[in-house]
Amino acid sequence: MLGNNYNKLRLLFSQIPPYGASQSKLNSRKWYVKARGIREIYEMEQVQYIHDITRERNNPNIFVRRESHIAMVDFLGWESLRFLPYLKKEMNLWQQIKIVEKLYAHYPDAQIKYLKKVYGTQRPYAQELLMRIIRKFNLFTEVE
């Protein structure tokens, strides 16, 4: 959501935080409820659930996994890339693009120390994401 409605909802969540609703969605067994709960958490900046979200980064369901990765980037920024070599499941193209957009929108100053941890990975999706980040942030001089 954008505009005036987003600001009103954000104000509502800051004054009367419905944290229990978000937590109950995270504990659901249905993938679509869990994915919606994760999205709600990072859209409403409920940072206290970051540990619950990081547990879902290798979830068997692609939608839950995707929302978890995007939430980690939203909350942790460049530091979230340190988990990239340890992911067990693949990332799709849309997810990679969304991660790069979130990094560019929220954390425009590149932190090379977190990118260097991803250089040695052999996973193709991690290499693709790394190349997208290098292109988006014009880091051609900083990488070999």
Side-chain angles (χ1 to χ4, degrees):
M1 284 190 278
L2 299 173
N4 199 21
N5 288 337
Y6 176 75
N7 292 331
K8 287 178 183 176
L9 273 176
R10 193 176 205 175
L11 179 66
L12 174 70
F13 269 63
S14 66
Q15 290 176 348
I16 312 168
Y19 298 134
S22 300
Q23 181 65 28
S24 67
K25 288 179 185 175
L26 261 182
N27 294 329
S28 175
R29 291 185 180 192
K30 298 175 183 170
W31 65 266
Y32 53 91
V33 174
K34 190 177 280 199
R36 186 175 39 195
I38 293 172
R39 184 177 181 105
E40 180 181 294
I41 285 170
Y42 76 79
E43 289 292 336
M44 293 302 164
E45 300 173 359
Q46 298 177 11
V47 127
Q48 68 270 23
Y49 295 125
I50 188 67
H51 296 295
D52 297 328
I53 289 173
T54 55
R55 279 190 235 133
E56 301 296 335
R57 69 181 182 259
N58 284 316
N59 192 294
N61 186 279
I62 189 168
F63 300 107
V64 174
R65 199 168 57 237
R66 178 179 68 195
E67 293 299 331
S68 174
H69 294 167
I70 294 169
M72 287 171 48
V73 169
D74 201 336
F75 289 141
L76 301 174
W78 289 92
E79 190 178 349
S80 67
L81 297 179
R82 67 185 168 154
F83 296 114
L84 200 56
Y86 307 110
L87 294 178
K88 296 174 185 166
K89 307 279 186 178
E90 290 199 21
M91 278 187 190
N92 58 15
L93 177 64
W94 185 90
Q95 183 177 357
Q96 293 175 16
I97 292 169
K98 190 76 172 167
I99 287 172
V100 173
E101 286 176 358
K102 284 279 186 190
L103 278 175
Y104 193 73
H106 295 294
Y107 306 95
D109 298 327
Q111 295 181 6
I112 304 300
K113 66 181 180 179
Y114 295 113
L115 277 181
K116 287 183 180 180
K117 296 181 181 191
V118 186
Y119 287 167
T121 186
Q122 297 300 317
R123 300 184 189 267
Y125 60 86
Q127 293 171 346
E128 291 171 7
L129 178 61
L130 184 62
M131 294 307 292
R132 288 186 204 320
I133 291 171
I134 290 170
R135 273 189 245 132
K136 182 71 174 184
F137 288 90
N138 294 322
L139 301 173
F140 300 109
T141 57
E142 266 108 55
V143 295
E144 295 95 19

